Amino acid sequence: MGIEDVVNKGKDAVSEGVDKAKDLYEQNKEKVDEALHSEQAEGISDSILDGVAGFAKKVAPGAADKIDEIRDNVDKQIGND
């Protein structure tokens, strides 16, 4: 078995894994959507986004307005607020 065979087997395994993940997501799409838009997800995402935005503002204080805009746009996609 040559290196190409090993690489091809690896590619096939990854492809199969991705297909299984897609199928699993499709089967549980409603549950995933509910979880992403739950009150718990909102609290967790707010905490993470606030921390990341605060750090980004320390690194790039001149971009605070843009950082807040990005943070707010991401927050709209997660949670229920």
Side-chain angles (χ1 to χ4, degrees), residues 13 17-18 31 34 41 43 47 50 54 61 69 74-75:
V18 168
K31 291 179 184 178
E34 286 176 23
S47 178
D50 289 344
E69 179 184 332
V74 172
D75 188 40

Side-chain angles (χ1 to χ4, degrees), residues 7-57:
V7 170
N8 287 334
K9 282 188 177 189
K11 286 180 182 179
D12 291 344
V14 169
S15 180
E16 184 177 317
V18 168
D19 290 342
K20 285 182 180 181
K22 286 180 183 178
D23 290 344
L24 183 63
Y25 171 74
E26 288 298 323
Q27 292 170 7
N28 296 288
K29 188 186 267 187
E30 290 180 20
K31 291 179 184 178
V32 170
D33 191 50
E34 286 176 23
L36 285 175
H37 293 91
S38 69
E39 193 65 38
Q40 184 178 13
E42 180 66 30
I44 293 169
S45 67
D46 283 351
S47 178
I48 292 170
L49 291 171
D50 289 344
V52 171
F55 175 74
K57 288 176 186 178

